[in-house]
Amino acid sequence: MRLSLPLTLGLLFLAAVAPAAAQEGNALSPGVLDEAALPGVMAKAVDSFIIPGYRDLSQATAELDEKSAALCATPSAETLEETRSAFSDLVQKWSAIEIIRLGPALEQNRFERFLFYPDRKSTGLKQVQAILAKRDESATKTDSLKTKSVAVQGLGALEYVLYGTGAETLTGTEGDFRCRYGTAIAQNLTTIAGELLAAWEKPDGLQPVWKSPSPDNPLFRDNKEAATELLGVLVHSVEMIKDQRLRPFYGGAIDGKTDEGRPKLAIYWRSGNTMRSIAGNLRGLQTLFNVAGMENLLPADSRSIAGSVNFLFKTLIGTAERVEGPIDAALADKKQRSRLDFIALNAADLLDRLNRDFGGAIGLGAGFSFADGD
């Protein structure tokens, strides 16, 4: 396969930085966590990333709720476009904060209710289509909607309402039921986002648990456990991007195959938000890494690991943003596929650098693997 110039340059850079990272890892065996820096890093993760991220999410859901209601009140091509724009904005806000897949996000099935993916057997799609076909009025009321399958009350269901077969009816009175169902989903998402924000804003809730590791802390008995959780957010999220977001529709570069891909397995393919979402995931991870000051957890002579991690984040984000247009068209275009090749290759390298290099440098023992769930 002929490599594009960005890919070639990226590989040359990584070949240059890899020996330095490896030397640092060998020089510090075992690695050393800067325990004095840990409480401040955890506090910044909460105050400067998690809480602002959920605030942005809450605002985006409220905006979508408002636009959805306006579409139902005055159906037209213009109000449909405004609602779709609000949906895409919400996808961006969610993509940045969905990496915090722990605590309140896991309680009451909030994560799956917000985003049910992957839907490998199209179970959720069939349920959404059934609601629309039967005009199930219980799906238009938030109290009853939230008791239904998680697959019919989140972003995936709303994407189908706004972009799937029959969505053109939303510009007129024929789409009244469909619109009311979509508005109920938007209201449901607003409620979930508000619950997530409230859980993290509560002063005597998760904040002291994250900020003050101690023997009587219910989550983190010491600084090492807290550091493991925080780094695990990055490691598991990169693994998710590589294996759950990229692999389903683009297995070729990862598995050594040359097939043309499976665009309809891509997340948000109907709305064209696939690569924007992946870029948003990566941007959220880089923001967390930097605003929390995770570099400060490293010993002084291992700080270049943070530099190589940031380089990979920046390059992957930029490349994902350059994969343009519908995902089926991107898969059919040689230049676009070379960018997907680059993302697949370097996401695996980023995972290794976080899991092995960074983890090893802050004192996680030999053989420790976030990716394996150890």
Side-chain angles (χ1 to χ4, degrees):
M1 177 185 70
R2 183 178 179 182
L3 300 179
S4 64
L5 181 59
L7 177 56
T8 304
L9 292 175
L11 292 174
L12 287 173
F13 177 90
L14 297 179
V17 300
Q23 288 171 5
E24 289 172 355
N26 292 334
L28 292 168
S29 183
V32 179
L33 169 68
D34 188 334
E35 300 214 24
L38 188 281
V41 170
M42 296 296 286
K44 289 177 183 176
V46 173
D47 295 336
S48 300
F49 179 77
I50 296 176
I51 291 177
Y54 281 130
R55 283 176 181 158
D56 288 344
L57 183 70
S58 186
Q59 291 172 0
T61 55
E63 178 69 13
L64 177 60
D65 188 356
E66 180 182 326
K67 296 299 183 182
S68 297
L71 172 62
C72 294
T74 313
S76 68
E78 182 180 357
T79 52
L80 174 58
E81 183 56 35
E82 289 176 353
T83 305
R84 286 175 169 175
S85 178
F87 173 84
S88 293
D89 182 61
L90 174 56
V91 167
Q92 286 291 291
K93 298 299 192 299
W94 168 251
S95 297
I97 197 63
E98 73 168 304
I99 62 173
I100 305 298
R101 192 169 184 170
L102 45 80
L106 299 183
E107 296 169 359
Q108 300 177 28
N109 293 322
R110 288 190 182 101
F111 191 97
E112 288 75 15
R113 288 168 58 211
F114 209 100
L115 175 64
F116 178 74
Y117 181 87
D119 184 10
R120 294 184 178 89
K121 297 182 179 180
S122 298
T123 302
L125 172 61
K126 293 172 184 176
Q127 292 174 349
V128 171
Q129 290 172 328
I131 285 173
L132 292 171
K134 297 176 181 178
R135 295 179 175 264
D136 179 2
E137 284 292 337
S138 66
T140 66
K141 300 174 177 60
T142 54
D143 286 346
S144 49
L145 177 63
K146 68 182 181 181
T147 67
K148 294 182 179 294
S149 164
V150 296
V152 304
Q153 53 177 295
L155 288 174
L158 185 54
E159 184 187 38
Y160 188 83
V161 168
L162 294 174
Y163 295 90
T165 303
E168 67 279 359
T169 63
L170 290 170
T171 61
T173 56
E174 185 184 351
D176 175 67
F177 173 80
R178 189 182 191 110
C179 192
R180 288 187 291 114
Y181 172 38
T183 298
I185 297 173
Q187 291 170 347
N188 185 57
L189 294 174
T190 300
T191 298
I192 297 170
E195 291 171 351
L196 291 168
L197 177 59
W200 281 98
E201 283 187 325
K202 191 176 179 181
D204 59 348
L206 281 166
Q207 291 193 38
V209 174
W210 266 60
K211 296 176 182 180
S212 304
S214 66
D216 58 353
N217 186 310
L219 287 182
F220 309 130
R221 292 168 296 178
D222 55 37
N223 289 335
K224 185 175 179 180
E225 288 189 356
T228 299
E229 178 82 337
L230 184 59
L231 183 55
V233 169
L234 274 74
V235 170
H236 289 304
S237 295
V238 174
E239 187 179 41
M240 176 272 291
I241 293 166
K242 180 175 72 72
D243 294 337
Q244 294 183 18
R245 299 299 164 85
L246 188 60
R247 187 187 295 270
F249 77 89
Y250 182 73
I254 300 175
D255 298 330
K257 299 176 183 177
T258 56
D259 62 78
E260 296 180 355
R262 297 160 293 280
K264 290 187 178 181
L265 293 183
I267 193 170
Y268 307 125
W269 67 269
R270 289 184 176 86
S271 61
N273 281 304
T274 300
M275 297 310 299
R276 276 178 266 176
S277 173
I278 289 175
N281 292 148
L282 290 162
R283 191 178 298 107
L285 289 168
Q286 185 180 33
T287 300
L288 172 61
F289 185 81
N290 288 322
V291 301
M294 291 183 66
E295 177 181 354
N296 296 323
L297 300 178
L298 293 164
D301 56 355
S302 295
R303 295 292 173 86
S304 68
I305 293 174
S308 61
V309 166
N310 259 313
F311 173 84
L312 278 166
F313 272 131
K314 180 179 179 181
T315 308
L316 283 166
I317 292 166
T319 306
E321 290 176 336
R322 288 194 294 276
V323 179
E324 302 168 340
I327 203 64
D328 56 345
L331 287 169
D333 182 84
K334 189 174 181 179
K335 187 174 182 180
Q336 299 278 52
R337 284 191 70 95
S338 73
R339 291 169 178 161
L340 292 169
D341 290 339
F342 180 88
I343 296 169
L345 177 66
N346 287 283
D349 188 66
L350 176 59
L351 178 63
D352 191 51
R353 288 181 183 278
L354 290 167
N355 189 41
R356 183 196 63 189
D357 296 347
F358 199 106
I362 64 173
L364 300 180
F368 187 95
S369 174
F370 291 97
D372 292 337
D374 296 341

